C-alpha cells in the first residue's frame, strides 16, 4: 500500500464519517422543519381560532340573555336580534376555519394533524354546532312563548357551561399537541447533539488510527532508515528488513539495501585496489630485478650453445627445459607488468589472421600439443600488442591445462559488426565452483600462476569495448569484439 493510498483512505474515512453525520443532521433538521411547520400552521392557528370562538360565543351568549330579558314588542329587541345573527355568523366563520384546519396539508401534500386528532377536532366542531343550534332553539322557544324568560336564561346558562367545558377540553387537546410538538423538537435536538458528539468522537478516533498507521508504516521505518544511514558513515553496511505494508517505504528500504550492498562492494573493491596497488609496486620492482638476471642467464645459455657444437641429446634436452622454465618465468613477469602498467591503447585496423599468425609464432614449441587455426578473412580495429598478449595468455593457459598430449583450436568468425574469437582446448576443464572467479585479480587454479593473466586479459578486452567469457565441456574462452572501436566512440 502506497503512502498516498493511506492518506486517501484516511481522507475518505473522515469525509465518510462527517458525511454520514451531516446526513443524519439533515434528516433531523428536516424533522424539526416538519414539526415547526405543524406548530406554525396547525397548533397556533387552532388555539387562536378557539380563543376567537370563545370570545364570539360569549358575545353570542350575552346577546341571547339580553334578548330574553327584553320584551318582544320592544324596538330594542330587533336590534338585539340583528346583533345575535351577526355574532352567530362571526362564530360560525371561526368554526369553519377551525374545521378547515382538520384536513390542512403541507406543500408535500401531507396532512398536519394525525388521524386520531382529526376525529377529535371534528367531534368538537360537531358539539359546537349543536350548542349554537341549541342556543337558537332556546331563543325560538322564548319568541314562541313556549318558555318563560327565566327558563330561557337557565337553559342559556347551561349551554354556556357546556360550551366552556367543551372549549376547555378542546384547548387542552391543542395545548397537549403543542407540548408534544415542543417535546419532539427537544428530542430531535438532543438526538442531533448525540449524533454530532458521536461523529466527532468517531472522527477523532479515525484520525488517531490514521496517525498510528502513519507512525507505524511510514515514520518509524524512516527513523530506522535514518539510524541505519548513520551506521554507513562509520563503515557498517547493515540491511533493513522489508516488512512494511507501505510499498513506498519498502521501495525506499530496498533502495537503501541496494545502496548499502553497492557501497560495501565498492569498499571491498577499493581495499582490493589498494592492496593490488601496493602489491603492484612491489611486484614491479621484483619483476625488473628478476628480468635482469634472466637476461644474463639467457645470453649465457645462448653463448654456451653456440660455442659447444658437440652437445649430446641429453644436454640439448636439459637446455630446452631451462629455456622452457625461463619462458614461463618471463611470461609470468610480463603478465604482472602488463596488469600493472595499464598502458593506453592504440587502435589500428589489422587482419585477424595476421594477429593469430604472430601469436602462433611467439608460442613455446611443443611436440605433444597441436594448435589449429580456423579464421574467416576479416579486419578488426585493435591494439595489436595488447590483443596479442590476450591471445598468447589464453593459449598458454590452454597448454598448461592439457599438461600432456592434446589439441587447441582457435576459431574466429564475423557476425554482422562483431568479431568472435574462440579458443578451445581438450583439457579436463575448469571446476564448476571456480568458473565464476577465474577473471578476478590474484585468483589462479595453478600453483605456478600469478592470478593476473586472465584479469589482465579481461581488462584489455573491456578497453576494446568487448566481452570475454568462458564455458566448459569443452573449455572455451569466447571473445566478442566490435569491428570498429572509433565508430562506437563517436
Amino acid at each position: 500500500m502506497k503512502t498516498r493510498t493511506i492518506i486517501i483512505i484516511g481522507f475518505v474515512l473522515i469525509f465518510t464519517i462527517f458525511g454520514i453525520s451531516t446526513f443524519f443532521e439533515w434528516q433531523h433538521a428536516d424533522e424539526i422543519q416538519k414539526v415547526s411547520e405543524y406548530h406554525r400552521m396547525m397548533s397556533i392557528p387552532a388555539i387562536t381560532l378557539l380563543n376567537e370562538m370563545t370570545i364570539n360565543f360569549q358575545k353570542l351568549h350575552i346577546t341571547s340573555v339580553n334578548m330574553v330579558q327584553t320584551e318582544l314588542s320592544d324596538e330594542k329587541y330587533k336590534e338585539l336580534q340583528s346583533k345575535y345573527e351577526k355574532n352567530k355568523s362571526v362564530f360560525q366563520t371561526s368554526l369553519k376555519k377551525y374545521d378547515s384546519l382538520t384536513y390542512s396539508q403541507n406543500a408535500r401534500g401531507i396532512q398536519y394533524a394525525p388521524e386520531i386528532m382529526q376525529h377529535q377536532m371534528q367531534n368538537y366542531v360537531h358539539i359546537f354546532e349543536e350548542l349554537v343550534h341549541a342556543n337558537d332553539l332556546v331563543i325560538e322557544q322564548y319568541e314562541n312563548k313556549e318558555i318563560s324568560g327565566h327558563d330561557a336564561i337557565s337553559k342559556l346558562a347551561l349551554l354556556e357551561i357546556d360550551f366552556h367545558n367543551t372549549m376547555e377540553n378542546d384547548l387542552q387537546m391543542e395545548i397537549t399537541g403543542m407540548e408534544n410538538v415542543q417535546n419532539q423538537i427537544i428530542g430531535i435536538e438532543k438526538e442531533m447533539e448525540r449524533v454530532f458528539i458521536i461523529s466527532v468522537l468517531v472522527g477523532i478516533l479515525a484520525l488517531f488510527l490514521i496517525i498510528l498507521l502513519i507512525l507505524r508504516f511510514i515514520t518509524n521505518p524512516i527513523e530506522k532508515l535514518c539510524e541505519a544511514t548513520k551506521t554507513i558513515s562509520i563503515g557498517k553496511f547493515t540491511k533493513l528488513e522489508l516488512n512494511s505494508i507501505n510499498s513506498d517505504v519498502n521501495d525506499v528500504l530496498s533502495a537503501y539495501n541496494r545502496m548499502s550492498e553497492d557501497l560495501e562492494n565498492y569498499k571491498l573493491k577499493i581495499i582490493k585496489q589498494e592492496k593490488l596497488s601496493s602489491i603492484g609496486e612491489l611486484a614491479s620492482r621484483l619483476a625488473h630485478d628478476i628480468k635482469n638476471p634472466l637476461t644474463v642467464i639467457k645470453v649465457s645459455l645462448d653463448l654456451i650453445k653456440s660455442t659447444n657444437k658437440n652437445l649430446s641429446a641429453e644436454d640439448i634436452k636439459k637446455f630446452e627445459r631451462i629455456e622452457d622454465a625461463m619462458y614461463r618465468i618471463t611470461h609470468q613477469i610480463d603478465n604482472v607488468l602488463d596488469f600493472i602498467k595499464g598502458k593506453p591503447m592504440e587502435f589500428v585496423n589489422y587482419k585477424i589472421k595476421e594477429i593469430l599468425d604472430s601469436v602462433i609464432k611467439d608460442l613455446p614449441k611443443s611436440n605433444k600439443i597441436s594448435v589449429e587455426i580456423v579464421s574467416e578473412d576479416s579486419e578488426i580495429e585493435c591494439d595489436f600488442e595488447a590483443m596479442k598478449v590476450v591471445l598468447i595468455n589464453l593459449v598458454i593457459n590452454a597448454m598448461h591445462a592439457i599438461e600432456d598430449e592434446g589439441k587447441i583450436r582457435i576459431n574466429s568468425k564475423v557476425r554482422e559488426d562483431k568479431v568472435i574469437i574462440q579458443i578451445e582446448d581438450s583439457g579436463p576443464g575448469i571446476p564448476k565452483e571456480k568458473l565464476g572467479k577465474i577473471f578476478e585479480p590474484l585468483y589462479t587454479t595453478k600453483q605456478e600462476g600469478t592470478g593476473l593473466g586472465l584479469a589482465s586479459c579481461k581488462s584489455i578486452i573491456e578497453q576494446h569495448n568487448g566481452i570475454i567469457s568462458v564455458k566448459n565441456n569443452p573449455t572455451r574462452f569466447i571473445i566478442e569484439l566490435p569491428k570498429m572501436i572509433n565508430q562506437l566512440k563517436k
Side-chain angles (χ1 to χ4, degrees), residues 278-305:
S278 300
I279 294 171
E281 291 179 5
L282 177 61
S284 179
R285 290 196 298 269
L286 287 173
H288 284 94
D289 291 342
I290 293 171
K291 216 168 185 184
N292 291 331
L294 280 176
T295 304
V296 173
I297 293 170
K298 188 176 186 310
V299 170
S300 300
L301 188 62
D302 290 339
L303 182 61
I304 292 170
K305 286 171 64 178

Side-chain angles (χ1 to χ4, degrees), residues 34-47 97-107 109-125 170 173-174 176-178 180-181 184:
K34 291 178 183 177
V35 173
S36 299
E37 192 176 10
Y38 171 82
H39 182 69
R40 186 178 70 257
M41 303 302 294
M42 185 71 187
S43 297
I44 294 176
I47 292 174
K97 289 180 180 179
Y98 182 74
D99 184 39
S100 65
L101 284 176
T102 306
Y103 302 106
S104 60
Q105 300 176 349
N106 59 19
I110 300 173
Q111 294 180 345
Y112 291 115
E115 187 175 354
I116 187 170
M117 192 172 183
Q118 291 176 359
H119 290 308
Q120 289 176 341
M121 290 175 71
Q122 285 296 304
N123 184 48
Y124 285 126
V125 168
D170 196 357
M173 180 191 72
E174 295 294 343
T176 301
M178 185 179 290
N180 290 336
V181 167
Q184 283 182 343

Side-chain angles (χ1 to χ4, degrees), residues 222-232:
I222 289 175
E223 288 179 355
K224 290 181 181 178
L225 182 63
C226 292
E227 290 297 323
T229 54
K230 293 178 182 177
T231 63
I232 290 180

Side-chain angles (χ1 to χ4, degrees), residues 18-19 58 63 145 152 166 189 218 220 227 236 290 306 331 359 362 373 396 443 484:
F18 284 102
Q58 190 65 36
T63 304
K145 296 183 180 181
T166 303
E189 288 176 346
I218 298 176
N220 291 344
E227 290 297 323
K236 293 182 180 180
I290 293 171
S306 63
H331 175 67
V359 168
D362 289 349
I373 297 176
I396 290 176
Y443 183 83
M484 301 295 291

Side-chain angles (χ1 to χ4, degrees), residues 363-381:
L363 287 174
K365 301 296 183 289
S366 175
N367 297 325
K368 295 181 179 181
I369 300 174
S370 64
V371 180
E372 178 187 354
I373 297 176
V374 179
S375 174
E376 293 183 4
D377 189 18
S378 177
E379 287 189 350
I380 185 172
E381 190 176 7

Side-chain angles (χ1 to χ4, degrees), residues 51-189:
N51 288 328
E52 288 179 2
M53 288 166 59
T54 300
I55 294 170
N56 291 331
F57 189 85
Q58 190 65 36
K59 289 180 180 180
L60 184 67
H61 173 73
I62 293 170
T63 304
S64 298
V65 170
N66 290 334
M67 288 176 65
V68 172
Q69 291 176 345
T70 304
E71 293 293 333
L72 295 173
S73 57
D74 194 338
E75 289 294 330
K76 189 178 177 181
Y77 188 83
K78 290 184 178 180
E79 292 179 5
L80 291 171
Q81 194 175 31
S82 175
K83 187 177 180 180
Y84 176 83
E85 292 297 329
K86 184 179 179 181
N87 290 334
K88 184 172 74 171
S89 176
V90 172
F91 178 83
Q92 288 176 338
T93 299
S94 297
L95 186 61
K96 286 179 181 179
K97 289 180 180 179
Y98 182 74
D99 184 39
S100 65
L101 284 176
T102 306
Y103 302 106
S104 60
Q105 300 176 349
N106 59 19
R108 295 182 290 274
I110 300 173
Q111 294 180 345
Y112 291 115
E115 187 175 354
I116 187 170
M117 192 172 183
Q118 291 176 359
H119 290 308
Q120 289 176 341
M121 290 175 71
Q122 285 296 304
N123 184 48
Y124 285 126
V125 168
H126 180 67
I127 292 172
F128 288 141
E129 287 177 345
E130 287 184 346
L131 288 173
V132 172
H133 179 69
N135 200 88
D136 289 342
L137 185 60
V138 171
I139 297 298
E140 185 180 348
Q141 288 175 344
Y142 172 74
E143 288 177 347
N144 293 334
K145 296 183 180 181
E146 295 176 359
I147 58 173
S148 64
H150 182 269
D151 291 337
I153 289 173
S154 298
K155 287 184 177 183
L156 289 173
L158 291 174
L159 288 175
E160 184 185 16
I161 293 171
D162 289 342
F163 173 82
H164 284 296
N165 289 335
T166 303
M167 180 59 70
E168 185 178 352
N169 292 333
D170 196 357
L171 280 170
Q172 187 60 45
M173 180 191 72
E174 295 294 343
I175 291 171
T176 301
M178 185 179 290
E179 289 175 351
N180 290 336
V181 167
Q182 294 295 336
N183 291 333
Q184 283 182 343
I185 292 175
I186 292 170
I188 292 171
E189 288 176 346

Side-chain angles (χ1 to χ4, degrees), residues 383-394:
D383 184 296
F384 184 88
E385 293 299 328
M387 191 58 60
K388 185 177 172 182
V389 167
V390 171
L391 296 175
I392 288 175
N393 258 309
L394 295 177

